[in-house]
């Protein structure tokens, strides 16, 4: 007899399609970069770059984050995932929506394909929000991580709805405001609302868990929650109702202090950790934080140099640091802190203690993580250098490095996904 | 709040139950659950039934089910005729003070 409730981990059949599809999207993203490196030297509103950015943000980043969230929501909310069916449905909608949207953006077909793709992504984000809220609500424990997850899901819905309106506006103009201004709001909703707050919330739960930190105070996280949201809301309201001006730098500082509060919280966990040895997955994660700081550091240049041609270059550098440095970096690291455990649980949960079983790290080529981290740093620095110096050759070399990195990552993910049970008596 | 027994306080009979639990490893930390301090208490009643009171490092631990399965499996191999009861508690919650010296060494704390 067992008197316990450990909580039911969602079935891997729900989680793994997100990881498999996200990995495929990362490969496609790098192929698109190899195919169209010159798009990184044009104005950011060009069809190929729009396709590349949405492959990165939705096919790669959001796809993996949905999968990881469905796995981690029970840990954060201390309650079973409310609906497996909604999770599965959100996968099909997101996957199909991304395919349609990216194809329509890449070939710039403004019409029903783009709108249908956008609508499916809106529906996927709504289903995700419903699952997040219903999973978090019954928990007696109120924690700041849960608020981050819920607020990020609300911002995601806001982002996708504005994105859908932008797609409609391209074919049938109806905005009273300038399309490019709304595009800026859409981009920052996604980055500072969805990605930043989701990653802040999840990392503030996972990093202490992985490092076995005994830091307990949440005042820095509370500050991060208030400031990140305040900075974003003030930015959106100011730009939409009054217009784009130098005041955006004030809202950047507010949200930036919010980011700083989160990093201070992570640093506290790092200092008070019990597990002294930092594995490569966590090193990759910390490297991605540096990319975020560098990205935020370029925003004032984007604004101050917007009148000159340099503004567009800094916009590209900012986007590269954020998508390829921060979001990609954190996924490359955290995939190998989550996926092997999900698959290991499937194969060995019932066997542990009975027979000798491999460890989760034995499910893939753990030694490759060193090369993955090295290639990630080289590829990112080359891409930034190529964009900053406007040298197409350097950008071309960088995109091939990214493709090599994607192949290495995909091979290792494949090793985990197609693992066969191995035991010795 | 449940009773937490120190390792030195186990009777020889309880110690026989504790020993196989060293083979149950937390797959993330690579430390066995005894040195990690997850075992709060072991009782063996007059009918030789075994009651384990234990915890996880965090509620809703993603590896929780596999740890519980590991405890059941090693005890069923060692004591096939006995009933095993597992009581999972978070009162008190696990804290780093629960680590044994061996556990601290394994985590490179010392």
């Amino acid at each position: 007899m067992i008197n316990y409730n450990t909580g039911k981990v969602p079935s891997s059949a729900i989680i793994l399609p997100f990881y498999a599809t996200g990995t495929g999207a990362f490969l496609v993203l790098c192929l698109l970069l190899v195919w169209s490196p010159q798009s990184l030297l044009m104005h950011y509103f060009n069809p190929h770059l729009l396709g590349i950015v949405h492959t990165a943000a939705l096919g790669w980043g959001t796809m993996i984050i949905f999968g990881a969230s469905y796995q981690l929501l029970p840990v954060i909310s201390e309650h079973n995932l409310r609906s497996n069916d909604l999770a599965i449905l959100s996968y099909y909608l997101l996957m199909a929506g991304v395919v349609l949207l990216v194809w329509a953006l890449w070939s710039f077909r403004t019409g029903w394909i783009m709108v249908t793709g956008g609508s499916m992504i809106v529906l996927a984000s709504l289903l995700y929000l419903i699952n997040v809220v219903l999973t978090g609500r019954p928990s007696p424990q109120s924690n700041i991580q849960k608020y981050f997850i819920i607020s990020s899901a609300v911002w995601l819905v806001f982002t996708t709805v504005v994105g859908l309106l932008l797609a409609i506006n391209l074919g049938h103009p109806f905005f009273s405001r300038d399309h490019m201004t709304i595009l800026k709001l859409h981009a920052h909703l996604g980055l500072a609302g969805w990605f930043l707050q989701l990653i802040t919330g999840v990392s503030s739960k996972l990093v202490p868990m992985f490092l076995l930190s005994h830091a307990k105070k949440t005042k820095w996280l509370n500050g991060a929650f208030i400031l990140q949201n305040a900075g974003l809301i003030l930015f959106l309201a100011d730009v939409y109702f009054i217009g784009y001006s130098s005041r955006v730098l004030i809202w950047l500082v507010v949200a930036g202090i919010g980011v700083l509060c989160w990093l201070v919280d992570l640093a506290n966990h790092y200092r008070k950790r019990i597990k002294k040895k930092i594995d490569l997955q966590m090193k990759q994660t910390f490297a991605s934080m540096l990319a975020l700081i560098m990205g935020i550091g370029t925003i004032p240049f984007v604004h101050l140099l917007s009148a000159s041609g340099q503004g567009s270059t800094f916009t590209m550098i900012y986007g590269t640091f954020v998508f390829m440095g921060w979001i990609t970096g954190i996924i490359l690291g955290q995939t190998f802190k989550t996926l092997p455990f999900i698959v290991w649980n499937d194969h060995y949960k019932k066997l542990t203690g009975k027979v000798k079983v491999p460890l989760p790290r034995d499910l893939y080529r753990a030694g490759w993580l060193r090369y993955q981290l090295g290639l990630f740093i080289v590829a990112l620095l080359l891409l930034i250098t190529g964009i900053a110096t406007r040298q197409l050759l350097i950008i071309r070399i960088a995109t091939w490095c990214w493709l090599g990195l994607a192949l290495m990552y995909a091979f290792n993910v494949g090793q985990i996904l197609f693992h066969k049970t191995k035991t010795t008596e | 709040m449940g009773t937490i027994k120190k390792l030195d306080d186990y009777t020889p009979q309880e110690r026989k139950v504790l020993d196989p639990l060293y083979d149950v490893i937390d797959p993330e930390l690579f430390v066995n659950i005894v040195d990690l301090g997850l075992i709060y208490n072991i009782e063996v009643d007059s009918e030789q039934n075994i009651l384990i009171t234990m915890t996880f490092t965090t509620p809703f631990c993603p590896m929780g089910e596999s740890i519980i399965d590991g405890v059941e499996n090693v005890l069923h191999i060692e004591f096939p005729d006995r009933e095993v009861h597992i009581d999972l508690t978070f009162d008190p919650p696990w804290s780093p003070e629960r680590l044994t010296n061996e556990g601290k060494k394994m985590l490179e704390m010392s």
Side-chain angles (χ1 to χ4, degrees):
Chain A
M1 197 185 94
I2 304 158
N3 170 28
Y4 70 91
N5 176 22
T6 57
K8 289 283 171 215
V9 178
S11 159
S12 62
I14 296 166
I15 311 294
L16 299 186
F18 287 97
Y19 277 92
T21 310
T23 302
F26 184 41
L27 270 171
V28 171
L29 166 67
C30 295
L31 280 169
L32 294 180
L33 283 170
V34 168
W35 187 274
S36 184
Q38 67 281 0
S39 62
L40 297 173
L41 295 176
M42 298 176 190
H43 187 271
Y44 59 83
F45 194 77
N46 74 73
H48 283 189
L49 194 61
L50 288 173
I52 287 169
V53 166
H54 285 83
T55 306
L58 294 167
W60 168 229
T62 300
M63 187 67 76
I64 298 271
I65 286 174
F66 267 26
S69 292
Y70 289 134
Q71 171 77 9
L72 298 170
L73 267 172
V75 183
I76 290 168
S77 302
E78 297 183 12
H79 192 272
N80 293 342
L81 185 67
R82 179 56 187 263
S83 171
N84 291 346
D85 292 339
L86 285 185
I88 293 166
L89 195 52
S90 73
Y91 165 75
Y92 286 112
L93 285 167
L94 182 62
M95 192 251 303
V98 169
V99 171
L100 292 178
L101 182 70
V102 167
W103 185 78
L105 287 170
W106 180 267
S107 54
F108 211 66
R109 287 167 197 260
T110 60
W112 70 270
I113 295 178
M114 192 183 281
V115 173
T116 306
S119 303
M120 291 173 120
I121 293 165
V122 169
L123 279 176
S125 62
L126 268 171
L127 297 184
Y128 173 79
L129 173 65
I130 291 167
N131 227 348
V132 165
V133 171
L134 293 181
T135 302
R137 204 176 54 172
S139 161
Q141 295 248 347
S142 166
N143 58 56
I144 188 68
Q145 288 91 353
K146 203 162 78 178
Y147 292 136
F148 268 112
I149 306 297
I150 292 171
S151 71
S152 68
V154 171
W155 287 120
L156 173 65
V157 172
F158 204 172
T159 309
T160 56
V161 168
V162 174
L164 176 60
L165 295 177
L166 282 162
I168 296 169
N169 192 60
L170 279 176
H172 307 279
F174 68 97
F175 281 166
S176 58
R177 297 282 193 284
D178 168 34
H179 187 94
M180 296 306 285
T181 301
I182 305 296
L183 185 66
K184 277 180 192 158
L185 299 182
H186 168 64
H188 287 91
L189 275 165
L191 291 176
W194 165 231
F195 285 116
L196 177 62
Q197 295 194 26
L198 188 283
I199 292 173
T200 303
V202 171
S203 66
S204 58
K205 179 73 182 182
L206 289 191
V207 169
M209 211 165 90
F210 290 146
L211 298 181
L212 272 185
S213 155
H214 50 97
K216 297 281 181 216
K217 288 178 184 166
T218 58
K219 64 176 182 181
W220 291 105
L221 277 179
N222 295 338
F225 184 78
I226 293 165
L227 292 169
Q228 286 181 15
N229 278 294
L232 179 58
I233 291 167
L234 290 167
F235 168 80
L236 296 171
D238 188 12
V239 174
Y240 186 79
F241 291 110
I242 303 172
Y244 194 81
S245 71
S246 295
R247 276 192 309 277
V248 297
L249 293 178
I250 301 172
W251 317 136
L252 169 68
V253 169
V254 173
I257 296 171
V259 173
L260 202 62
C261 288
W262 163 48
L263 296 178
V264 169
D265 181 71
L266 288 184
N268 281 339
H269 288 301
Y270 182 83
R271 274 203 308 275
K272 295 189 176 177
R273 73 192 190 280
I274 293 166
K275 194 178 175 187
K276 294 296 180 199
K277 192 175 177 187
I278 301 295
D279 55 35
L280 282 162
Q281 295 95 315
M282 294 308 288
K283 284 178 184 167
Q284 173 99 51
T285 302
F286 291 131
S288 76
M289 302 298 176
L290 286 177
L292 173 66
I293 294 168
M294 298 295 286
I296 292 173
T298 59
I299 297 177
F301 297 99
V302 173
H303 177 75
L304 296 171
L305 300 171
S306 58
S308 71
Q310 288 287 300
S312 182
T313 302
F314 275 99
T315 303
M316 290 293 177
I317 293 173
Y318 165 60
T320 303
F321 270 128
V322 168
F323 282 111
M324 305 308 286
W326 175 47
I327 295 171
T328 296
I330 209 161
I331 294 175
L332 291 177
Q334 290 303 305
T335 296
F336 298 102
K337 294 295 275 185
T338 51
L339 184 59
F341 292 88
I342 297 167
V343 174
W344 186 92
N345 251 333
D346 252 12
H347 288 266
Y348 301 109
K349 191 173 68 181
K350 294 287 176 197
L351 295 174
T352 175
K354 278 185 185 167
V355 289
K356 194 169 165 45
V357 299
L359 287 168
R361 66 178 174 192
D362 299 326
L363 269 57
Y364 61 100
R365 297 195 184 190
W368 281 22
L369 294 185
R370 188 175 301 282
Y371 306 117
Q372 178 184 288
L373 177 58
L375 194 51
F376 165 76
I377 293 168
V378 169
L380 181 64
L381 291 179
L382 274 176
L383 195 57
I384 295 289
T385 306
I387 294 168
T389 58
R390 303 189 64 76
Q391 291 295 318
L392 188 57
L393 178 64
I394 299 176
I395 295 175
R396 274 190 203 284
I397 296 168
T399 58
W400 281 101
C401 289
W402 278 107
L403 186 59
L405 175 63
L407 286 168
M408 186 188 290
Y409 172 81
F411 180 84
N412 244 345
V413 168
Q415 291 256 302
I416 300 167
L417 293 177
F418 298 110
H419 176 77
K420 299 267 183 269
T421 306
K422 292 174 193 162
T423 59
T424 48
E425 292 295 332
Chain B
M1 188 178 284
T3 315
I4 300 182
K5 205 178 276 182
K6 291 180 182 170
L7 288 181
D8 296 339
D9 294 343
Y10 285 113
T11 64
Q13 194 183 27
E14 291 162 348
R15 189 82 210 181
K16 280 183 184 168
V17 177
L18 182 72
D19 284 344
L21 299 181
Y22 280 93
D23 292 335
V24 182
I25 307 288
D26 181 311
E28 157 65 16
L29 300 169
F30 314 130
V31 179
N32 68 73
I33 60 170
V34 178
D35 285 318
L36 206 46
L38 300 188
I39 303 299
Y40 281 1
N41 197 8
I42 293 172
E43 289 171 68
V44 180
D45 68 17
S46 55
E47 292 172 8
Q48 296 297 299
N49 296 323
I50 298 165
L51 173 64
I52 308 276
T53 306
M54 62 177 291
T55 192
F56 298 146
T57 54
T58 183
F60 270 70
C61 171
M63 306 310 285
E65 281 183 87
S66 76
I67 291 174
I68 292 284
D69 285 342
V71 171
E72 284 188 288
N73 288 340
V74 294
L75 292 179
H76 280 139
I77 288 170
E78 198 67 30
F79 308 103
D81 302 328
R82 296 201 205 171
E83 266 194 45
V84 176
H85 301 254
I86 298 173
D87 191 2
L88 188 70
T89 182
F90 294 97
D91 183 21
W94 180 87
S95 71
E97 291 77 40
R98 294 282 309 138
L99 283 159
T100 65
N101 287 335
E102 278 305 306
K104 289 173 187 172
K105 276 182 199 162
M106 288 176 208
L107 288 166
E108 297 175 79
M109 196 177 163
S110 309

